Amino acid sequence: QLQLVESGGGLVQPGGSLRLSCAASGTIFSINAMGWYRQAPGKQRELVAVITSGGATNYADSVKGRFTISRDNAKNTVYLQMNSLKPEDTAAYYCHADVFLTYVGRTNRYWGQGTQVTVSS
């Protein structure tokens, strides 16, 4: 099993910054990709950013130039640095990890518990 524990959310002023962390623990053989989704009340879940095991990244257009995703493979941790935050960024942020299970030949997606980010003056 894999567990993902998130931290770093909170209340911040527009234009401010936050850094989210998501640490994986448990039996880990290979995490192929890690990333972040967010969901605001009444809105669809949105992929924010993803990073592969090799370090390739992708971002939603709405956060390009403001957010940076990174990972520390030694610590099995993924980060999301959020700068120039806007009220539209207010949402619950969920990290995920995609793990390839060799014994069943499929990839499972694991989810963190979520952390709330609120951007308001």
Side-chain angles (χ1 to χ4, degrees):
Q1 281 192 335
L2 188 71
Q3 292 183 325
L4 302 176
V5 179
E6 302 181 31
S7 62
L11 175 65
V12 66
Q13 298 275 357
S17 297
L18 286 173
R19 189 191 193 202
L20 307 184
S21 298
C22 176
S25 63
T27 302
I28 302 173
F29 295 95
S30 180
I31 301 178
N32 300 121
M34 302 183 77
W36 297 87
Y37 281 80
R38 67 185 181 186
Q39 188 167 29
K43 303 292 185 179
Q44 291 183 318
R45 186 178 64 180
E46 175 189 25
L47 178 63
V48 177
V50 65
I51 184 168
T52 69
S53 59
T57 59
N58 282 294
Y59 298 91
D61 289 341
S62 59
V63 307
K64 285 181 179 177
R66 301 188 298 118
F67 291 11
T68 302
I69 188 171
S70 61
R71 66 189 288 174
D72 185 335
N73 290 331
K75 296 181 178 180
N76 293 315
T77 301
V78 64
Y79 306 93
L80 186 67
Q81 179 66 47
M82 305 183 294
N83 299 326
S84 302
L85 283 162
K86 305 174 181 179
E88 307 94 272
D89 297 317
T90 296
Y93 284 70
Y94 298 88
C95 73
H96 69 266
D98 294 335
V99 179
F100 182 68
L101 306 176
T102 58
Y103 63 98
V104 293
R106 69 168 184 256
T107 298
N108 275 13
R109 175 163 288 182
Y110 297 86
W111 294 93
Q113 82 281 6
T115 185
Q116 180 66 36
V117 172
T118 302
V119 185
S120 177
S121 59

